[in-house]
Amino acid sequence: MMNKLLRATCLALGMSGLTALSAITAPLAQAQVGNPMRVVVPFNPGGGSDLFARLVAPGLGKALNENVIVENRAGAGGIIGTETVIRSRPEDKMLLVADSAVYTIIPALYPNLQYKRSDLVPVANLAMFGNVLVVGANSRFKTFQDVLAAARKSPGTLTIGSAGTGSITHLTAEKLMQDAKIKLVHVPYKGSGPAITDTAGGHLDMVFTGLPSVLELLHAGKLRALAIATPERSADAPDVPTISESGVPGFTSMISQGLFAPPNTPPKTVAAINAAVVAFMRQPDTQATLRKMMVAPVDQSADAYKQWLDKESTDWAALIKTAKVHVE
């Protein structure tokens, strides 16, 4: 699905948004020599972070008069690429595009990690979307309330899959168990794809996953969405109620794709890059592309993004501790 979105993104962007961005941010542009600016993605090509890196890189290059390339450095759940950027020198001109877990979850999950949350400098929030609880099309559960009732009647009998222990889909399941006071059986997979497949096939009772990754399966009638963990209903699935309105008040679980810089990046540099990215994101063709990708456009300062990330970090760290989540 991500490859389809990537192709759609390239076609939809054209050059109009890039031209407008260049004009808006011309005062920032300075001729650069030497190494190109590198946007590191700590995951394999074709995934969500890779998609957003390739969406933003051309606009960033036009705005800053830089040659910007995207470089995939996958491994260890995003840790290798993240550490590469953190250890980089100023002349390396490296930035990181990754989902917010590298900042909010991984530092709390791995006590012996070689980097701290403070080593990453939030620059821009590229997009946000919510986790949605889905079941197979033939599932006996028709509503979110059906799941709550069954889980309370027979604790520890319903299965819920995840992309792996410690993933945001796993932690969202733990959060649901904690907030709704229910007991489910967690079944970790190596990635969301197999968990989604087994849910569609009826081998799992349910799974949390990002809405964009299952919207096509929902439209095809292979999955049924019971509730979404967003503050308000999604424009892409308006008939799917929020978990908050369905019996667990205040429940949210959001995924962000963010742009980060190495430690000690000057605030003026952060502000300049943020301005370039925000200007690009404001362009009508860019926002239309994001809507096709089924994510909400974001217009946020670096400071505001950091505040959101810091709160998410506190909340997920507390959950990891109380739920006693451990990874090998």
Side-chain angles (χ1 to χ4, degrees):
M1 176 181 175
M2 283 300 179
N3 288 333
K4 292 180 180 179
L5 291 176
L6 182 56
R7 289 194 295 271
T9 296
C10 295
L11 291 172
L13 278 179
M15 291 302 294
S16 59
L18 303 183
T19 302
L21 174 59
S22 181
I24 291 170
T25 58
L28 298 175
Q30 296 180 352
Q32 301 290 331
V33 295
N35 296 333
M37 178 178 285
R38 286 182 285 172
V39 176
V40 173
V41 178
F43 306 107
N44 290 318
S49 296
D50 183 68
L51 173 65
F52 282 99
R54 296 180 192 281
L55 168 67
V56 171
L60 192 60
K62 286 282 185 177
L64 303 180
N65 195 25
E66 284 271 12
N67 179 23
V68 180
I69 62 173
V70 176
E71 183 176 307
N72 296 87
R73 294 204 179 190
I79 294 174
I80 290 175
T82 301
E83 289 182 343
T84 298
V85 174
I86 288 173
R87 293 194 301 266
S88 66
R89 304 163 300 172
E91 57 266 31
D92 294 328
K93 295 189 290 187
M94 280 190 178
L95 296 171
L96 178 78
V97 169
D99 67 64
S100 50
V102 301
Y103 187 102
T104 60
I105 293 174
I106 289 177
L109 200 59
Y110 296 90
N112 297 321
L113 194 66
Q114 296 301 306
Y115 75 84
K116 304 184 298 295
R117 190 178 70 193
S118 58
D119 289 332
L120 281 172
V121 179
V123 176
N125 188 353
L126 304 179
M128 295 184 73
F129 51 93
N131 281 299
V132 61
L133 185 68
V134 298
V135 297
N138 297 321
S139 172
R140 61 190 171 104
F141 303 119
K142 307 302 181 185
T143 67
F144 180 73
Q145 288 82 1
D146 290 343
V147 170
L148 293 182
R152 287 166 179 161
K153 181 179 180 180
S154 304
T157 59
L158 302 183
T159 56
I160 185 164
S162 80
T165 300
S167 66
I168 192 168
T169 52
H170 171 211
L171 297 183
T172 303
E174 294 288 349
K175 179 178 171 67
L176 178 62
M177 287 188 268
Q178 179 176 286
D179 291 3
K181 297 179 174 57
I182 59 175
K183 178 62 177 177
L184 304 172
V185 178
H186 172 230
V187 182
Y189 285 74
K190 292 183 178 179
S192 292
I196 293 169
T197 298
D198 275 2
T199 301
H203 305 297
L204 273 177
D205 287 315
M206 68 198 87
V207 66
F208 271 114
T209 189
L211 179 60
S213 65
V214 292
L215 203 54
E216 289 184 2
L217 292 173
L218 294 173
H219 289 161
K222 296 180 180 180
L223 290 172
R224 182 186 308 121
L226 300 185
I228 190 167
T230 48
E232 299 176 348
R233 293 194 183 198
S234 169
D236 296 306
D239 295 333
V240 179
T242 66
I243 292 178
S244 182
E245 71 180 90
S246 302
V248 190
F251 188 98
T252 59
S253 175
M254 302 292 292
I255 301 171
S256 162
Q257 290 288 346
L259 181 67
F260 301 89
N264 302 316
T265 300
K268 287 185 178 180
T269 302
V270 172
I273 297 174
N274 176 272
V277 171
V278 168
F280 179 61
M281 291 297 190
R282 284 176 178 168
Q283 298 306 306
D285 53 352
T286 307
Q287 295 208 359
T289 298
L290 290 172
R291 292 188 188 98
K292 289 179 181 179
M293 293 159 60
M294 297 159 285
V295 295
V298 180
D299 189 335
Q300 195 174 43
S301 70
D303 287 342
Y305 187 38
K306 184 178 185 302
Q307 290 176 14
W308 181 82
L309 288 167
D310 286 344
K311 184 181 184 307
E312 288 285 294
S313 300
T314 299
D315 292 345
W316 288 125
L319 179 73
I320 288 168
K321 183 176 180 179
T322 57
K324 299 180 180 179
V325 177
H326 300 287
V327 292
E328 298 297 330

